[in-house]
């Protein structure tokens, strides 16, 4: 289908469309079904990405000549480990 960002945008649009006061029950159900399908597919994509990240994080850095894992200051609070 589309890339992840486009799927996320569609999922957000479906959520907004369901909340409209003039949407019929049948239409809301159709939107809900599409949203569930999208969300499940996106979850699988995220699981694959997480697996790839775990593999990369556990590989030794052959270019630096060390086997240390990279630090993730980006994901820690104020540069401290979580």
């Amino acid at each position: 289908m589309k890339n992840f960002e486009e799927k996320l945008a569609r999922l957000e649009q479906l959520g907004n469309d369901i909340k409209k006061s003039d949407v019929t029950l049948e239409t809301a159900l159709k939107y809900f079904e599409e949203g569930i399908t999208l969300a499940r597919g996106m979850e699988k994509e995220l699981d694959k990405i997480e697996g790839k990240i775990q593999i990369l994080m556990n590989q030794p850095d052959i270019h630096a000549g060390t086997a240390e894992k990279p630090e993730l200051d980006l994901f820690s609070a104020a540069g401290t480990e979580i």
Side-chain angles (χ1 to χ4, degrees):
M1 188 182 168
K2 305 169 186 172
N3 69 33
F4 192 86
E5 290 78 14
E6 291 171 332
K7 290 177 186 177
L8 183 58
R10 177 64 181 153
L11 190 58
E12 290 172 349
Q13 183 62 49
L14 289 168
N16 290 333
D17 289 347
I18 286 174
K19 294 175 188 175
K20 292 180 181 176
S21 61
D22 62 341
V23 69
T24 65
L25 182 59
E26 293 80 17
T27 302
L29 180 60
K30 183 179 90 172
Y31 291 162
F32 181 77
E33 288 180 73
E34 183 181 348
I36 291 294
T37 302
L38 272 173
R40 287 182 179 154
M42 292 168 68
E43 184 176 26
K44 287 179 184 179
E45 286 182 51
L46 287 173
D47 287 343
K48 287 180 186 178
I49 292 168
E50 183 179 2
K52 289 180 184 180
I53 290 171
Q54 289 298 325
I55 290 169
L56 291 171
M57 292 296 299
N58 292 316
Q59 288 181 346
D61 187 357
I62 58 173
H63 299 292
T66 64
E68 294 181 27
K69 293 181 183 177
E71 293 184 29
L72 296 177
D73 287 337
L74 176 65
F75 298 107
S76 60
T80 59
E81 297 271 334
I82 296 177

